Amino acid sequence: MRAAIVGSTGYGGVELIRLLQAHPYVDITSVISSSSAGAPIADGYPHLSEIRTDALDAVDVALMKEKADVVFLATPHGVAAKLVPQLLEAGLKVIDLSGDFRLRSAAEYEAWYKHAPADEAYLAKAVYGLCEVYGDRVHGADFISNPGCYPTATLLGLIPAVAAGWIDPATIIVDAKSGVSGAGRGVSLGVHYSEVNENLSAYKVNRHQHIPEIEQTLSDVAGSKIVTTFTTHLVPMTRGIMSTIYASVMGGAGARSEADFIALYRDYYKGRRFVRIRPQGKLPATKEVWGSNYCDIGLAVDARTGRVTIVSVIDNLVKGAAGQAIQNLNLMMGWDETTGLQFVPAYP
Amino acid sequence: MRAAIVGSTGYGGVELIRLLQAHPYVDITSVISSSSAGAPIADGYPHLSEIRTDALDAVDVALMKEKADVVFLATPHGVAAKLVPQLLEAGLKVIDLSGDFRLRSAAEYEAWYKHAPADEAYLAKAVYGLCEVYGDRVHGADFISNPGCYPTATLLGLIPAVAAGWIDPATIIVDAKSGVSGAGRGVSLGVHYSEVNENLSAYKVNRHQHIPEIEQTLSDVAGSKIVTTFTTHLVPMTRGIMSTIYASVMGGAGARSEADFIALYRDYYKGRRFVRIRPQGKLPATKEVWGSNYCDIGLAVDARTGRVTIVSVIDNLVKGAAGQAIQNLNLMMGWDETTGLQFVPAYP
Amino acid sequence: MRAAIVGSTGYGGVELIRLLQAHPYVDITSVISSSSAGAPIADGYPHLSEIRTDALDAVDVALMKEKADVVFLATPHGVAAKLVPQLLEAGLKVIDLSGDFRLRSAAEYEAWYKHAPADEAYLAKAVYGLCEVYGDRVHGADFISNPGCYPTATLLGLIPAVAAGWIDPATIIVDAKSGVSGAGRGVSLGVHYSEVNENLSAYKVNRHQHIPEIEQTLSDVAGSKIVTTFTTHLVPMTRGIMSTIYASVMGGAGARSEADFIALYRDYYKGRRFVRIRPQGKLPATKEVWGSNYCDIGLAVDARTGRVTIVSVIDNLVKGAAGQAIQNLNLMMGWDETTGLQFVPAYP
Amino acid sequence: MRAAIVGSTGYGGVELIRLLQAHPYVDITSVISSSSAGAPIADGYPHLSEIRTDALDAVDVALMKEKADVVFLATPHGVAAKLVPQLLEAGLKVIDLSGDFRLRSAAEYEAWYKHAPADEAYLAKAVYGLCEVYGDRVHGADFISNPGCYPTATLLGLIPAVAAGWIDPATIIVDAKSGVSGAGRGVSLGVHYSEVNENLSAYKVNRHQHIPEIEQTLSDVAGSKIVTTFTTHLVPMTRGIMSTIYASVMGGAGARSEADFIALYRDYYKGRRFVRIRPQGKLPATKEVWGSNYCDIGLAVDARTGRVTIVSVIDNLVKGAAGQAIQNLNLMMGWDETTGLQFVPAYP
């Protein structure tokens, strides 16, 4: 299968290249960049020297149609909204890693993204590709909206408990933390090494655009509108997301033990290789999934407070972006979802 | 005033040295270590070369009585429990940076610390030195129990709202994060650079010994028993603690605005130089207090969820240990509480 | 082919597991540890959860003979010296990642390693597996001594120039820098996060045990005894080695241009996929090879001083340990040397 | 004494504020910025909240004359060249932290800085403020050119040996490493956290503008033209410079022992509090001077190669910039050079 990557000079795009190079059924036939078209990609990314020697293509739908069967969009907000209709029209399969097609409501997109939304007709066509939950819908689809990094870690950590009705949805609080690569390669004071190193900060409190994405899916799962408190922090590391999630156990801590929760989660994710539930008394750390497509989850129930604490970790560039995008491609095509993605996390 | 420091080879002890070297009224007359007595302190801490050329004294109460007026204890759990009675007996003033005298209940100490508690008679003598809250009790006292690092950040962030009855105490959730120096200088896999760097982990969930310390003071302030969810995370940085605190606003978000909360906090801490309340829309980062005795606090109210989010940051070795200990000494002696502590945070 | 890994709980061993899991012709049939035999490897390395579920075997030659065809030794100094004779006797192929068989002279080993050397008969059997230089000797061999991390970066950076006689061997100075994982997983103050983070230090100056290894090979290549200045530094990062190498150009800077040197190196490494020579004006950074088996080299000639500066980078755990070991296995077996090793560096 | 700081929003400027706040004889009366005039400085630097509440002044010589006695220039290349003549004309004392007046030769400045040089008449007026070497010239001077960060570490590490004729000047090689703050607060891909973290790179090889500054002073000291190889590396840390310096010992290693070198250096810096020479067998690490004005130096002589290795470390923002500038002010005014600068390094 021939793949084109739009936005190849961003961190999401370059991670797609890293992963797809190892995929047995996919050839990258076009690496595309609006800003650096014509230049060899190794100019900006010397780690790709002698691995990718081709020059970057410009953003050109006709060329993509000629060169590729599937297009990955790893582009800033607003680009996919414009490109997707043309690509689908051209008969290409599309996997969009941006946020443009994640919210079903154009109004909500505009409210949170402060940006013009995509055409509603196309919003309706997008399949939200949270693989372990909506894999059936992805199978055979032509157009996938790949989930955000925070939503992936958070939703995989919450859905089994919400679906089972074991936690009170009104009490959900998500304290999320991310490495810096989530902010992309663009330069700003906020990603300046001297400002981020040996520092920890909270940002976009109550205003992060991933909030409606999380709430939309949780509400679907619960069958009623769920509102959550969701806070994001910038941690001095490059990769990794941890969502530490708090909620009150329905019926109190006596109703469901830690072992019950672990069994529930293992059952929910049975057969899904990329979600690993830690045994009782153990919680995952971000480095334990570094560079891989795993989402690792641990759970602790506190008898004193009646709350469950759920810790869910991913590599934001893999399971939170490029890895899940390829997992979606595998599911679209009917291949085993782990094809080309069985990287062991790089530790230490 | 002559000061002795027991535990001079730990991070808390060596930070006391850094800060006291700049104090106009205090001379360090004895640096004490049980493990390295006889050796020059600069052997283990070359940054003190030519600054402190004296050799480490052994732990010897008679010698302390001879050399010092006040003794700082920066020792592991259990040491102060034994030493404090002898030191007080000898007529020395004591500031204990360990956890041995923070909990009034010996039983609770034993339950959380898994260690034999101090004598109850001496537990009753200890004044809990959270300076901005209990400064009046510290004034003229002879024996101070210096608060823990997490409790300092968390309590300073919570007390004005709890005291005012503006938040529902049953809903308090504290997601705390710390740099690695909080674990001390002892070696273990948990502080190995290759394990901690580019990693984020949660630890001691629902089991941290600072939980009863936080609840004891919050309950005092509220006038009723408060139980909290408190989670600690290890962040790949050396210094800094952030407590991100969540609670439901009494009467809902409509009852109290962000501006109300900020005004409440500014009023509560009026005249206290070491607590700085950020203006609306701003939250503090740990590096903004690095190396200093400040506790910086920011607040955000979310109309959607009816919750307030409070971000409180300190340098765990300064306001969370050595700095607050010296602030306590200043208050004990009736000096201005900022004496010798007016360091500008080191940024970047 | 069935492989056993002795020392599976060290960083070298666990990196062998990561890489061999992706090798098409090799099955790991025994993970071995003297300290943790009987325990599942994921107990100490949760990133391997559900990837390796087998328990660690004890160190037992008969068992290795039964279970494996090739044994990788990723053990501390002195262990391989004792094990290798038994393993070879048992008819197993052996790749030793320790320093026990790198020096031909037992006396020199003892002088630098401060340790009893291996039996000289077995020292003579070892093939020094610097793949790009001695690949021919590796082909068909049964027993490989895998080069050290610093020697790999340094020798690959120096050999083309030394072999060509383009630099004055008496002037070689190597300023080497390493991430912390090179020190292994053992705990000590020297690898404590709070001591290493935001810090840079030099260590073992003029005393590093890799000095005789570098000099032995350079002397072989030059045909005369070469003595070098070699300094090692500890850098606050987990992975990566950079050797910055200085030498006077024979005949002065006028004799050989930067372009000449680059052409020389490209020619020397023609057809060797894992050495990449940067174009003129570009020097490699350690992150450009992170997680991969590449050694990237850049060269600069200074007309003012008549010196060439050579920058050579590797991932110390891959090309400097586990990756080159597998490359050696590939060469031993007559497989393409890149088999199972074509990882794209993880960037960022 | 009233001080104005031009360039208060850069890292050098903000470090001057941190240090001068603790100076007993100096008041900061004007913080000046061309880019942010009118705004409170704490807007861009929240760590200064409630410490500096004044607004930034514009760059206005008349205003400086009115408000200040001494002006510190912490500005980009080219600004001081224009401002200094006006400031001196106005009768102000000036300490310039930029490179504009460090080279006596306007032609050399232009060749290395690629920038128009300052007026030669004013170049001739500048006293090069390397305090421990040229303190006598600084005393009573009105206009100081503060040395660069790399030259400070390198020159203090080399001058005693060069002055004594103990090393061969033709063999000097300096392998220098710096934290990221040396690049300033401006944003670029080169200081992006995700690019710098877990990475090590060499830059400006043979082209760094500090090369002629180092050679100018070394040549003065030696009495003959000295040319050096000088390489700079970017290390993933915020503060700290290490120069690892190599040179052949005159007469060979037998001529001068390690103890001889240490004695020579201790003698040269006798009475100078800010240079600390490590005892034999010890080398300094950058963190041992973090946040302080110390330059720590260690020396190792290698009998095998006949070379001495000198390791010299500073905090680039203190001894390499703001701290030495204040030390220069102290010397200009006839105050003790340590006034207001006796900070203990912050460790860990």
Side-chain angles (χ1 to χ4, degrees):
Chain A
M1 185 157 200
R2 300 170 307 152
I5 301 168
V6 186
S8 292
T9 59
Y11 289 150
V14 85
E15 187 72 352
L16 279 166
I17 294 174
R18 177 173 83 92
L19 300 175
L20 286 174
Q21 289 284 129
H23 198 290
Y25 310 148
V26 179
D27 278 329
I28 304 170
T29 49
S30 178
V31 286
I32 299 167
S33 162
S34 63
S35 57
S36 310
I41 190 163
D43 277 12
Y45 282 111
H47 75 284
L48 293 176
S49 298
E50 304 183 16
I51 296 172
R52 300 275 337 159
T53 53
D54 44 344
L56 288 156
D57 286 327
V59 181
D60 174 342
V61 173
L63 189 67
M64 285 186 247
K65 186 177 164 59
E66 186 189 316
K67 285 186 147 186
D69 306 306
V70 61
V71 176
F72 291 91
L73 298 174
T75 48
H77 302 323
V79 176
K82 287 178 194 147
L83 267 181
V84 163
Q86 304 170 52
L87 294 169
L88 292 177
E89 207 64 32
L92 287 158
K93 293 183 190 302
V94 177
I95 299 173
D96 175 25
L97 284 77
S98 84
D100 283 4
F101 291 90
R102 293 186 197 142
L103 302 183
R104 286 191 299 266
S105 156
E108 198 150 31
Y109 179 91
E110 200 156 5
W112 288 89
Y113 282 80
K114 319 288 180 202
H115 215 285
D119 186 316
E120 300 222 328
Y122 288 91
L123 287 179
K125 284 186 207 285
V127 174
Y128 185 67
L130 187 65
C131 300
E132 281 77 11
V133 180
Y134 298 123
D136 289 350
R137 300 183 194 169
V138 173
H139 183 72
D142 284 335
F143 172 31
I144 302 297
S145 175
N146 205 55
C149 49
Y150 284 121
T152 296
T154 304
L155 291 170
L156 293 178
L158 270 168
I159 283 175
V162 169
W166 285 20
I167 58 174
D168 177 356
T171 65
I172 295 170
I173 291 175
V174 183
D175 190 283
K177 301 98 176 167
S178 177
V180 184
S181 64
R185 207 187 201 196
V187 301
S188 73
L189 196 58
V191 297
H192 191 302
Y193 183 89
S194 302
E195 306 282 320
V196 172
N197 180 44
E198 190 70 5
N199 199 2
L200 177 67
S201 57
Y203 67 100
K204 287 197 189 176
V205 171
N206 300 327
R207 293 183 292 107
H208 199 288
Q209 72 276 9
H210 286 168
I211 292 175
E213 182 180 343
I214 292 167
E215 294 181 348
Q216 171 179 280
T217 296
L218 286 185
S219 300
D220 285 356
V221 169
S224 64
K225 174 76 184 156
I226 292 184
V227 170
T228 61
T229 290
F230 176 79
T231 305
T232 46
H233 299 80
L234 191 67
V235 177
M237 60 187 193
T238 301
R239 291 177 181 229
I241 278 181
M242 176 183 285
S243 286
T244 310
I245 305 168
Y246 304 94
S248 295
V249 178
M250 281 299 207
R256 308 287 179 188
S257 70
E258 225 159 85
D260 291 339
F261 270 97
I262 290 167
L264 174 75
Y265 275 62
R266 289 205 165 140
D267 189 55
Y268 188 93
Y269 291 117
K270 189 154 47 186
R272 309 313 294 255
R273 288 283 304 280
F274 290 132
V275 179
R276 303 186 296 189
I277 309 302
R278 285 282 184 284
Q280 206 173 332
K282 304 285 182 189
L283 296 170
T286 59
K287 202 167 188 164
E288 295 164 6
V289 298
W290 207 102
S292 81
N293 200 48
Y294 291 101
C295 174
D296 285 6
I297 298 173
L299 299 115
V301 173
D302 186 15
R304 298 172 63 252
T305 60
R307 293 195 184 101
V308 63
T309 302
I310 306 165
V311 174
S312 175
V313 301
I314 59 168
D315 181 321
N316 57 301
L317 293 178
V318 188
K319 184 63 174 170
Q324 186 159 237
I326 295 168
Q327 190 181 356
N328 271 311
L329 177 64
N330 289 338
L331 291 170
M332 286 163 81
M333 303 303 296
W335 305 329
D336 184 293
E337 71 178 338
T338 67
T339 309
L341 289 173
Q342 295 185 11
F343 293 93
V344 176
Y347 192 96
Chain B
M1 184 158 200
R2 300 170 309 154
I5 301 168
V6 186
S8 293
T9 57
Y11 289 149
V14 86
E15 187 73 353
L16 278 165
I17 295 173
R18 178 173 82 92
L19 299 175
L20 287 174
Q21 289 284 129
H23 198 290
Y25 309 149
V26 179
D27 278 328
I28 303 170
T29 51
S30 179
V31 285
I32 297 168
S33 163
S34 62
S35 57
S36 311
I41 189 163
D43 278 12
Y45 281 112
H47 75 284
L48 293 176
S49 297
E50 302 182 19
I51 297 173
R52 300 276 336 161
T53 54
D54 43 344
L56 289 156
D57 287 327
V59 181
D60 174 342
V61 173
L63 188 69
M64 286 186 245
K65 186 176 164 61
E66 187 189 315
K67 285 186 147 184
D69 305 309
V70 61
V71 176
F72 291 92
L73 298 174
T75 48
H77 302 321
V79 176
K82 288 179 193 146
L83 267 182
V84 162
Q86 306 170 53
L87 294 170
L88 292 177
E89 208 64 33
L92 287 158
K93 292 184 190 303
V94 177
I95 299 174
D96 176 25
L97 284 78
S98 85
D100 282 5
F101 292 90
R102 292 186 196 141
L103 302 183
R104 287 191 299 265
S105 157
E108 199 150 30
Y109 179 91
E110 202 157 1
W112 288 88
Y113 282 80
K114 318 288 181 202
H115 215 284
D119 186 318
E120 299 221 329
Y122 286 90
L123 287 178
K125 285 187 206 285
V127 173
Y128 185 68
L130 188 65
C131 300
E132 281 77 12
V133 180
Y134 298 122
D136 289 351
R137 300 182 192 171
V138 172
H139 182 71
D142 284 334
F143 173 31
I144 301 299
S145 175
N146 205 55
C149 50
Y150 284 121
T152 297
T154 304
L155 291 170
L156 292 178
L158 269 169
I159 284 175
V162 169
W166 285 21
I167 57 175
D168 177 356
T171 65
I172 296 171
I173 290 174
V174 182
D175 190 284
K177 299 101 177 166
S178 176
V180 184
S181 63
R185 208 187 201 197
V187 301
S188 72
L189 195 58
V191 298
H192 191 304
Y193 183 88
S194 303
E195 305 283 320
V196 173
N197 180 45
E198 189 70 4
N199 198 2
L200 176 67
S201 57
Y203 67 101
K204 286 195 189 176
V205 171
N206 300 326
R207 294 183 294 109
H208 199 288
Q209 71 276 9
H210 286 168
I211 292 175
E213 182 180 344
I214 291 167
E215 294 181 351
Q216 172 179 279
T217 297
L218 286 185
S219 300
D220 285 356
V221 168
S224 64
K225 175 75 184 156
I226 293 185
V227 170
T228 60
T229 291
F230 176 79
T231 306
T232 46
H233 299 79
L234 191 67
V235 178
M237 61 187 192
T238 301
R239 292 176 181 230
I241 278 182
M242 175 181 287
S243 286
T244 310
I245 305 167
Y246 304 93
S248 294
V249 179
M250 282 298 209
R256 309 286 179 188
S257 71
E258 224 159 83
D260 292 339
F261 270 96
I262 288 167
L264 175 74
Y265 274 62
R266 290 206 164 138
D267 190 55
Y268 188 93
Y269 291 117
K270 187 153 52 183
R272 309 313 293 256
R273 289 281 304 279
F274 290 132
V275 178
R276 304 187 295 189
I277 310 302
R278 286 283 183 286
Q280 205 173 330
K282 303 285 181 188
L283 296 170
T286 59
K287 202 167 186 165
E288 294 164 7
V289 298
W290 207 102
S292 81
N293 201 47
Y294 291 101
C295 174
D296 285 7
I297 298 171
L299 300 114
V301 173
D302 185 16
R304 297 173 64 254
T305 60
R307 296 197 183 99
V308 61
T309 302
I310 307 166
V311 174
S312 175
V313 299
I314 60 169
D315 182 322
N316 55 303
L317 293 179
V318 189
K319 185 63 173 170
Q324 185 157 239
I326 296 169
Q327 190 181 356
N328 271 310
L329 177 65
N330 290 339
L331 290 170
M332 286 164 80
M333 304 303 297
W335 304 330
D336 185 293
E337 70 177 340
T338 67
T339 310
L341 289 173
Q342 295 184 10
F343 293 92
V344 176
Y347 194 96
Chain C
M1 185 157 201
R2 300 169 309 152
I5 302 169
V6 186
S8 292
T9 58
Y11 288 150
V14 86
E15 187 73 353
L16 278 166
I17 294 174
R18 177 174 82 92
L19 299 176
L20 287 174
Q21 289 284 129
H23 198 290
Y25 309 148
V26 179
D27 277 328
I28 303 171
T29 50
S30 178
V31 285
I32 299 168
S33 162
S34 62
S35 57
S36 310
I41 190 163
D43 278 10
Y45 282 110
H47 75 284
L48 294 177
S49 297
E50 303 183 17
I51 296 173
R52 300 279 333 164
T53 53
D54 43 346
L56 289 157
D57 287 326
V59 181
D60 173 341
V61 174
L63 189 68
M64 286 186 247
K65 185 176 165 59
E66 187 188 316
K67 285 185 146 186
D69 305 308
V70 61
V71 176
F72 291 91
L73 297 173
T75 49
H77 302 322
V79 176
K82 286 177 194 147
L83 267 182
V84 163
Q86 304 171 53
L87 295 170
L88 293 178
E89 207 64 31
L92 287 158
K93 292 185 190 303
V94 177
I95 299 173
D96 175 25
L97 284 77
S98 84
D100 282 5
F101 291 90
R102 292 185 196 142
L103 302 183
R104 288 191 298 265
S105 157
E108 198 151 31
Y109 178 90
E110 201 157 4
W112 288 88
Y113 282 79
K114 317 288 180 203
H115 215 287
D119 186 316
E120 299 220 329
Y122 288 90
L123 287 178
K125 286 186 205 288
V127 173
Y128 185 68
L130 188 66
C131 300
E132 281 77 11
V133 180
Y134 298 122
D136 289 350
R137 300 182 193 170
V138 172
H139 182 72
D142 285 333
F143 172 31
I144 301 298
S145 175
N146 205 53
C149 50
Y150 283 121
T152 296
T154 304
L155 290 170
L156 292 178
L158 269 168
I159 284 175
V162 169
W166 285 21
I167 57 175
D168 177 356
T171 64
I172 295 170
I173 290 174
V174 182
D175 190 283
K177 300 99 176 166
S178 176
V180 183
S181 63
R185 208 186 200 196
V187 300
S188 72
L189 196 58
V191 298
H192 191 304
Y193 183 88
S194 302
E195 305 282 321
V196 173
N197 180 44
E198 190 69 7
N199 198 3
L200 176 68
S201 58
Y203 67 100
K204 288 198 189 174
V205 171
N206 300 326
R207 293 183 292 108
H208 199 288
Q209 71 276 9
H210 286 167
I211 293 176
E213 182 180 343
I214 291 168
E215 295 181 349
Q216 171 179 281
T217 297
L218 286 184
S219 300
D220 284 356
V221 168
S224 63
K225 175 76 183 156
I226 293 185
V227 170
T228 60
T229 291
F230 176 79
T231 305
T232 46
H233 299 79
L234 191 67
V235 177
M237 60 187 193
T238 300
R239 292 177 181 230
I241 277 182
M242 175 183 286
S243 286
T244 311
I245 305 168
Y246 304 94
S248 295
V249 178
M250 282 298 208
R256 308 287 178 188
S257 71
E258 226 159 82
D260 292 339
F261 269 95
I262 289 166
L264 174 74
Y265 274 62
R266 290 205 165 140
D267 189 56
Y268 188 94
Y269 292 116
K270 189 153 49 184
R272 310 313 294 252
R273 288 282 304 280
F274 289 131
V275 179
R276 304 186 295 188
I277 309 301
R278 286 282 184 285
Q280 207 173 331
K282 303 286 182 189
L283 296 171
T286 59
K287 202 169 187 163
E288 294 164 6
V289 298
W290 206 103
S292 81
N293 200 47
Y294 291 101
C295 174
D296 285 7
I297 299 171
L299 300 114
V301 173
D302 185 15
R304 297 173 64 255
T305 59
R307 294 196 184 100
V308 62
T309 301
I310 307 165
V311 173
S312 175
V313 300
I314 59 169
D315 181 320
N316 55 302
L317 293 179
V318 189
K319 184 63 174 171
Q324 185 158 238
I326 296 168
Q327 191 182 355
N328 271 311
L329 177 65
N330 289 339
L331 291 170
M332 286 164 82
M333 303 303 297
W335 304 331
D336 185 293
E337 70 178 337
T338 67
T339 308
L341 289 173
Q342 295 185 11
F343 293 92
V344 176
Y347 193 96
Chain D
M1 185 157 200
R2 300 171 307 153
I5 301 168
V6 186
S8 292
T9 58
Y11 288 149
V14 87
E15 187 72 353
L16 279 166
I17 294 173
R18 178 174 82 94
L19 299 175
L20 286 174
Q21 289 283 128
H23 199 290
Y25 310 148
V26 179
D27 278 330
I28 304 169
T29 50
S30 178
V31 285
I32 299 167
S33 162
S34 62
S35 56
S36 311
I41 188 164
D43 277 12
Y45 281 111
H47 75 284
L48 294 176
S49 297
E50 303 182 19
I51 296 172
R52 298 285 326 169
T53 54
D54 44 344
L56 289 156
D57 287 327
V59 181
D60 173 341
V61 174
L63 189 67
M64 286 186 246
K65 186 177 165 58
E66 187 189 315
K67 286 186 146 185
D69 306 307
V70 61
V71 176
F72 291 91
L73 298 173
T75 48
H77 301 323
V79 176
K82 286 178 195 147
L83 267 182
V84 162
Q86 305 171 53
L87 294 170
L88 292 177
E89 207 65 33
L92 287 157
K93 292 184 191 304
V94 177
I95 299 174
D96 175 26
L97 283 78
S98 85
D100 282 5
F101 291 90
R102 292 186 196 141
L103 301 183
R104 287 191 299 267
S105 156
E108 198 151 31
Y109 178 91
E110 202 158 1
W112 288 88
Y113 282 79
K114 317 288 180 202
H115 215 286
D119 186 315
E120 299 221 330
Y122 287 90
L123 286 179
K125 285 186 207 285
V127 174
Y128 184 68
L130 187 66
C131 300
E132 281 77 11
V133 179
Y134 298 122
D136 289 349
R137 300 182 192 169
V138 172
H139 183 70
D142 285 334
F143 172 31
I144 302 298
S145 174
N146 205 54
C149 50
Y150 283 122
T152 296
T154 304
L155 290 171
L156 292 178
L158 269 169
I159 284 176
V162 169
W166 286 21
I167 57 174
D168 177 358
T171 64
I172 296 170
I173 291 174
V174 182
D175 189 283
K177 299 99 176 167
S178 176
V180 184
S181 63
R185 208 186 202 198
V187 301
S188 72
L189 196 58
V191 297
H192 191 302
Y193 183 88
S194 302
E195 306 282 321
V196 172
N197 180 45
E198 190 69 7
N199 199 2
L200 176 68
S201 58
Y203 67 100
K204 286 197 190 176
V205 171
N206 300 327
R207 292 183 293 108
H208 199 288
Q209 71 276 9
H210 285 168
I211 292 175
E213 182 180 344
I214 291 168
E215 294 182 349
Q216 171 179 281
T217 297
L218 286 184
S219 299
D220 285 356
V221 168
S224 64
K225 176 73 183 158
I226 292 184
V227 170
T228 61
T229 290
F230 176 80
T231 305
T232 47
H233 300 79
L234 191 67
V235 177
M237 59 188 193
T238 301
R239 291 175 181 232
I241 278 182
M242 176 182 285
S243 286
T244 310
I245 305 168
Y246 304 93
S248 296
V249 179
M250 281 298 207
R256 308 287 180 189
S257 71
E258 225 159 83
D260 291 339
F261 269 96
I262 289 167
L264 174 75
Y265 275 63
R266 289 205 166 139
D267 189 57
Y268 188 93
Y269 291 116
K270 189 153 49 183
R272 309 313 294 256
R273 288 282 304 279
F274 289 131
V275 178
R276 303 186 296 189
I277 309 301
R278 285 282 183 286
Q280 205 172 331
K282 304 285 182 189
L283 296 170
T286 59
K287 201 166 188 166
E288 295 165 7
V289 299
W290 207 101
S292 82
N293 201 47
Y294 291 101
C295 174
D296 285 6
I297 299 172
L299 300 114
V301 173
D302 186 14
R304 298 172 64 254
T305 59
R307 293 196 184 100
V308 63
T309 302
I310 307 166
V311 173
S312 175
V313 300
I314 60 169
D315 181 322
N316 57 301
L317 293 177
V318 189
K319 185 63 174 171
Q324 186 158 238
I326 295 169
Q327 190 181 356
N328 271 311
L329 177 65
N330 289 340
L331 290 170
M332 286 164 81
M333 303 303 296
W335 304 331
D336 184 292
E337 71 178 337
T338 67
T339 309
L341 289 173
Q342 295 185 11
F343 293 92
V344 176
Y347 192 95

